[in-house]
Each structure stands twice: as structure tokens, then as C-alpha cells.
Amino acid sequence: MTIPENIDFFNKFSVAVPSFIRHPTLRKLAERVQHETLNALTSPTMYESGNTSQSTRILDSLYQTPIADASILVAITHERRPKLLLTRRAAHMNSHAGEVSCVGGKHDRGDGNNVVTALREACEETALPPNKVQLLGQLPIQTSKSGMSVRPIVALIAPGLVLVPEAGEISRIFWADLESLVTQPTVEYEIEYKMQEQVATILTPSWQVDGETVWGLTGRVIANLLETGFDRQLEWYYRVEKKR
């Protein structure tokens, strides 16, 4: 999908209003994510008059947040049985090849804020229309294994969208059932990692979703989403099991 040169196309953001969300699971998630987003607001005195809507406060909080190296869109379908959008990165990519991820990518100078980065990258990678997105807020920043700061932007998207993977970056689009993630036990995942002259076996939690293994930064983001929205406490660890 071609991105329009006028980036203002992405600046007409829609914010979800929790009281208008019919489904209890999504309403609870929206309330909690927005509460956390507003708690991070750097200038609460701006709203002491009480005349500013919550949607405006959410947007201002997102705009005031420092720009991260990259942003991802934690996109959840707005329906009775909500699903989380996931992708598998193409095998030929220079970084995170073949790994499961949320849509997103590096910040471009013209983006202006983290939300535009997340929406632009989502549009480029899957043809997700920005006008089908309702923002909820943001989650705490994560650090990738390459040292990049990554800001997760949480949003609702219309169900039944026809998404198309961009072949240069994405090999597959699939979905995780959100309510299943809340209760589904994690599975310990074993990976080999080269450390200088040695190869180490590292154990870490993961989810099995539609034949894919969800771990790493994506797993940490999901774990944080579940903690914020549903009080699910998960220990996320990387344990070196053996070296050779």
C-alpha cells in the first residue's frame, strides 16, 4: 500500500471511549490502559479546570511522550471475542527474521510522534487503514535485544478487515484470542544464542498461538498488556541453561 506524502493523513486520530464499548473484556482493558496512559501525563496542571475531555487528555499524553526509536501497534479487534493482531517477520529480514511481532517499526523523522510511527508502519506492513483504528493509549516502553527503545501503542480495530502482508517484511498475518491469552499458561521456550565463542541454551516463557511461538519483546508486551488490563502476573525471564 502506498503511503500518502502528506503525513497529516495520519493525524486525525480517534480515541475509544470506554463507556461506549459494549463488550466487558474490552471495556475493562480500555479503562485500565487509559488510566495508565493518563497517569504518565507530564503536565496534569493543564487540565485543572476540568473542561477537557478524556479523549483530548489521552491524545495530549501520547503527544507529550518522548519519541522512541520504534513504535508498535498492539491492535485488538473490537468485537465480542476480541483478537490480537500478530505477524511473522519474513525470513530474509536483517533483524528478528522469522520471529513473531506486532506490526510496527522504526521512527521516521517526519512522523512527529509515536502514534504516527505505529499507524504508518501498520499501514505499510499490512494495509491496515488508519481510519479503522481507535486508540486506547500506550504501555511502558520496552527495549529490544538490539538496544532500541520500543513504545507499544494499544488500539482497537474493526473486525473482519482484509489485511495484506507486505512481502518484503511480513510472511504471515495471524490472530491470538485475547481471552485465551488471559488464562493460557505459558510454555518454556528453548533457544540457542551465541555468546562470544560459546553457544548458550536460553530458556524463556512463550505462548503457542496458531502454530507460532510468541516470545521475546512481543511476549513481554503481551505480558504487560495482560497485567495492565486483567491483573495477570507473569514472570518474564531469560535463563541460561547451559553453555558449550
Side-chain angles (χ1 to χ4, degrees), residues 78-99:
H78 192 173
E79 57 184 329
R80 183 179 299 278
R81 191 77 181 185
K83 299 185 288 292
L84 172 66
L85 172 63
L86 294 170
T87 67
R88 185 174 69 228
R89 290 174 62 82
H92 62 261
M93 297 293 288
N94 292 329
S95 62
H96 308 286
E99 294 180 8

Side-chain angles (χ1 to χ4, degrees), residues 1 73 75 85 103 119 122-123 126-130 132-133 157 161 163:
M1 181 173 181
L73 189 68
L85 172 63
V103 289
L119 290 180
C123 187
T126 66
L128 173 62
K132 300 296 184 182
V133 175
I157 63 174
L161 293 175
L163 303 181

Side-chain angles (χ1 to χ4, degrees), residues 1 5 12 19 24 26 31 45-46 71 74 89-90 93 106 133 142-143 155 157 161 166 170-171 190-191 221-222 231:
M1 181 173 181
E5 292 182 1
K12 298 177 182 178
S19 59
L26 290 179
E31 289 171 347
T45 56
M46 292 171 58
S71 293
V74 184
R89 290 174 62 82
M93 297 293 288
K106 292 182 180 179
V133 175
Q142 298 284 344
T143 303
I157 63 174
L161 293 175
E166 200 288 307
I170 303 298
S171 64
E190 185 176 296
I191 56 174
V221 169
I222 293 174
D231 297 320

Side-chain angles (χ1 to χ4, degrees), residues 32 66 69 74 103-104 108 127 152 175 209 233 240:
R32 292 191 169 195
D69 296 324
V74 184
V103 289
D108 279 354
W175 304 87
V209 178
Q233 303 288 329
V240 177

Side-chain angles (χ1 to χ4, degrees), residues 161-179:
L161 293 175
V162 177
L163 303 181
V164 181
E166 200 288 307
E169 297 184 56
I170 303 298
S171 64
R172 185 189 180 204
I173 294 171
F174 64 105
W175 304 87
D177 182 89
L178 182 63
E179 292 180 348

Side-chain angles (χ1 to χ4, degrees), residues 22 29 32 40 44 67 87-88 100 114 138 146 156 158-159 163 166-167 170 202 212 215 218 232 238:
R22 292 177 53 193
L29 178 65
R32 292 191 169 195
I67 294 174
T87 67
R88 185 174 69 228
V100 171
N114 297 314
Q138 62 187 11
S146 62
L156 300 181
L163 303 181
E166 200 288 307
I170 303 298
I202 297 177
E212 303 283 356
W215 65 286
T218 305
R232 183 174 184 188
Y238 297 94

